[in-house]
Amino acid sequence: MHKLEVHQIPVLNDNYVYLAHCPTTGDTAVIDPAVAGPVLAEAKRLGWRITHILNTHHHGDHVGGNLGIKAATGCTIVGPKADAGRIPGIDVEVDDGDHYSLGDATAQVFFVPGHTRGHIAYWFADSAALFCGDTLFALGCGRLFEGSPQQMWSSLSKLRRLPDDTRVFCAHEYTQANARFAVTVDPANQALHDRSAAIDAARAQGKPTVPSLLGEEKATNPFLRADERSLADGLGLTNAAPEIVFAEVRKRKDSF
């Protein structure tokens, strides 16, 4: 049984904000609040008291609600040590390998730069929950605004080592567009084609495609498969290092 109850809040055009609630202590964290109003309203509706904000990185659609939520609740804001100066209202700085408790649940922190220079992710092992911001998406990964392909491949490789049953709570509903791209670079992957069809069906019914399972990502997400021979061969990069294959996939996605 998962220690945390996770509630998903769609905001803006395609963002997801999460409430992670410990039912035994009542502690509740907001993960990457883009805005304050809808988050406060949803917490009130659920009867959950917001005690924490967990930020993965500094972008406005992840921290825009920090100060409003803190003013309303007095919550503690936790964020990346490497980017503390760009996290509004930060109280607690965490870094790679740190552990942080939310009620009876404990997150392990991963430093996963690439999308930004200070990006982190939170893995609650006992809840099979990974809050990865914009590092890993369902069938995708974040653009490299402040990091290199080598950094991002290293970051994704860290996350790929987590258990297959890990639920990937990424921050955007990008999956359908990601699937359309993925099949162009990994066309022989039948599992990917099957997943793409299922995603189209879900979106046609207005259903979210997030969270996904990490095992599913390992099998179908081209950004996690840069060390797979079939992917490299299809890109004309046979025997190339994985970071070179990853860089080519990211380059193609950027112009897709």
Side-chain angles (χ1 to χ4, degrees):
M1 183 176 179
H2 296 148
K3 288 194 173 182
L4 291 176
E5 298 176 24
V6 181
H7 184 75
Q8 185 169 298
I9 308 171
V11 300
L12 305 180
N13 291 326
D14 50 37
N15 278 73
Y16 288 127
V17 178
Y18 298 101
L19 294 175
H21 175 74
C22 177
T24 54
T25 66
D27 287 4
T28 303
V30 185
I31 293 87
D32 282 349
V35 291
V39 175
L40 293 168
E42 193 65 5
K44 181 178 180 180
R45 185 187 72 81
L46 293 167
W48 292 355
R49 176 177 56 91
I50 294 173
T51 56
H52 295 78
I53 290 172
L54 305 182
N55 288 136
T56 63
H57 66 292
H58 73 90
H59 284 160
D61 61 334
H62 294 255
V63 302
N66 275 22
L67 297 181
I69 293 171
K70 186 173 186 175
T73 66
C75 66
T76 298
I77 298 179
V78 183
K81 180 178 181 179
D83 218 3
R86 297 195 287 181
I87 305 297
I90 191 169
D91 299 299
V92 178
E93 302 172 15
V94 292
D95 204 350
D96 193 58
D98 287 348
H99 290 79
Y100 192 83
S101 294
L102 175 66
D104 287 341
T106 300
Q108 181 177 342
V109 178
F110 293 93
F111 180 52
V112 286
H115 180 64
T116 66
R117 66 175 187 244
H119 206 301
I120 60 174
Y122 302 87
W123 176 48
F124 289 89
D126 289 343
S127 298
L130 173 67
F131 298 98
C132 50
D134 287 356
T135 295
L136 174 63
F137 294 130
L139 286 178
C141 77
R143 286 180 177 264
L144 306 184
F145 289 124
E146 298 178 4
S148 67
Q150 291 81 3
Q151 279 183 313
M152 186 62 115
W153 173 245
S154 176
S155 295
L156 291 172
S157 296
K158 283 184 187 180
L159 300 182
R160 191 176 66 168
R161 290 193 285 269
L162 298 178
D164 285 358
D165 66 350
T166 300
R167 296 174 294 163
V168 178
F169 291 99
C170 63
H172 292 275
E173 182 59 69
Y174 289 162
T175 319
Q176 191 170 37
N178 287 344
R180 290 174 183 150
F181 167 74
V183 297
T184 69
V185 292
D186 199 8
N189 188 334
Q190 187 57 49
L192 172 58
H193 287 284
D194 293 344
R195 186 179 178 194
S196 180
I199 288 164
D200 286 341
R203 295 306 292 158
Q205 298 176 48
K207 295 179 179 178
T209 63
V210 178
S212 59
L213 291 177
L214 188 57
E216 193 173 38
E217 297 303 326
K218 294 175 188 180
T220 58
N221 186 332
F223 294 100
L224 294 185
R225 291 167 49 79
D227 54 357
E228 288 284 338
R229 178 67 180 268
S230 61
L231 183 63
D233 288 351
L235 295 171
L237 293 171
T238 301
N239 297 325
E243 57 266 28
I244 300 299
V245 178
F246 172 85
E248 178 63 20
V249 176
R250 185 64 257 178
K251 178 183 175 183
R252 294 189 184 199
K253 179 64 168 66
D254 288 345
S255 60
F256 182 71

